[in-house]
Amino acid sequence: MPRSRVLAACAVPVVALVAVAGLAPLPFAIAQPGSTADVLGKDKGREVITITGAPVRPTTGQLRMTTILATGPGTDVDLGDVADAWFRTDRAVLPHDSVYPPGKSDAEIEKRNLGQMKQSQDAAALAALDYLDLDPKRVKVDLHLADVGGPSAGLLFALGVVDKLDGDGDGGELTGGKNVAGTGTIAPDGKVGAVGGVSLKTQAAARDGSTVFLVPKDECSDAEAELPDGMRLVPVSTLSDAVASLRALGQGQESKVPSC
């Protein structure tokens, strides 16, 4: 058999395998910038943060929690989807199991995410009240944000409580009237934890008008990867770090504000 015919015959199964691979579902999720929400404002007509048992201050600035939007747990992602996302700065290819726990149904995953959000809200309230030396038995904090799951809004919830109760500590707003965004989990003792997807979240923040982004210190390099023009990154490790940096920004004390 001529060599050209042999090569052609061998190429047929290879092409077939490539075609099958291109259509077969892959163990990845595709993520993109998601929604943001001002925790100092309202969500679906209801205040995100409601406080009773202590006087609340008026605010004009914004504290925007940020999200990513990922393909659903049951969505098939093929080679074409991965290739398209790989070359886009507003998309990220993530291992499926890093986004969704394996072996869980959509309903189980939604329940888990909502449970994490509730735990995050409880921790945020405790962290904020502890920072302000207020008794959680006397001051009640209710947090509400519909259709959002996971723990990554904890830091912004805590900052929102601090701003509503104490502002910058000197009679002004903690935000200085600015549109501030950020992400990070929070523990009751005020420690800030990493969350993932920060380069997409900075894009969501810039799209919605933020110029300052609070990022967990350990994720600085990830946040810098696709940083929008004009966005200032402020690394934080604790709630007190975040409050101190926002106070300094509001007072024009740039030298006191850390950078990634």
Side-chain angles (χ1 to χ4, degrees):
M1 182 181 295
R3 186 169 182 269
S4 59
R5 292 181 62 185
V6 172
L7 292 174
C10 292
V12 171
V14 173
V15 171
L17 285 173
V18 171
V20 170
L23 296 174
L26 299 174
F28 297 110
I30 307 298
Q32 64 186 47
S35 62
T36 74
D38 177 19
V39 302
L40 296 175
K42 294 183 178 181
D43 177 56
K44 295 185 177 180
R46 178 178 172 184
E47 293 286 341
V48 176
I49 300 175
T50 303
I51 301 172
T52 54
V56 175
R57 303 177 65 262
T59 59
T60 60
Q62 298 180 36
L63 284 169
R64 289 196 164 272
M65 56 80 65
T66 54
T67 68
I68 62 172
L69 179 63
T71 50
T75 302
D76 289 340
V77 174
D78 61 30
L79 186 60
D81 297 323
V82 172
D84 176 66
W86 192 264
F87 293 100
R88 294 181 58 168
T89 59
D90 62 344
R91 297 289 188 274
V93 180
L94 306 172
H96 186 278
D97 291 352
S98 72
V99 181
Y100 301 111
K104 300 291 185 182
S105 68
D106 290 9
E108 289 173 324
I109 291 171
E110 182 179 8
K111 182 178 179 181
R112 169 183 174 269
N113 288 343
L114 292 176
Q116 287 181 329
M117 171 60 90
K118 180 61 169 63
Q119 291 174 356
S120 174
Q121 292 173 337
D122 292 344
L126 289 173
L129 294 178
D130 179 67
Y131 173 81
L132 296 172
D133 292 324
L134 294 175
D135 187 348
K137 294 181 180 179
R138 298 191 177 190
V139 179
K140 183 179 179 183
V141 177
D142 288 317
L143 299 169
H144 164 78
L145 193 58
D147 304 324
V148 177
S152 67
L155 171 62
L156 273 294
F157 280 133
L159 288 170
V161 175
V162 171
D163 198 6
K164 281 180 171 284
L165 288 173
D166 193 51
D168 66 358
D170 292 318
E173 293 186 64
L174 183 59
T175 62
K178 297 182 176 67
N179 183 335
V180 177
T183 191
T185 64
I186 196 85
D189 64 0
K191 290 182 180 177
V192 175
V195 292
V198 291
S199 65
L200 298 176
K201 292 178 178 180
T202 58
Q203 294 178 54
R207 179 199 66 212
D208 292 347
S210 299
T211 55
V212 176
F213 193 92
L214 303 173
V215 61
K217 188 174 182 179
D218 292 341
E219 294 185 293
C220 264
S221 60
D222 292 341
E224 290 177 309
E226 301 293 345
L227 189 65
D229 292 339
M231 179 67 73
R232 177 167 187 166
L233 287 179
V234 178
V236 298
S237 298
T238 64
L239 175 59
S240 59
D241 285 348
V243 173
S245 291
L246 290 180
R247 282 178 173 170
L249 279 174
Q251 295 167 2
Q253 299 175 336
E254 299 287 326
S255 63
K256 293 184 178 180
V257 183
S259 298
C260 285

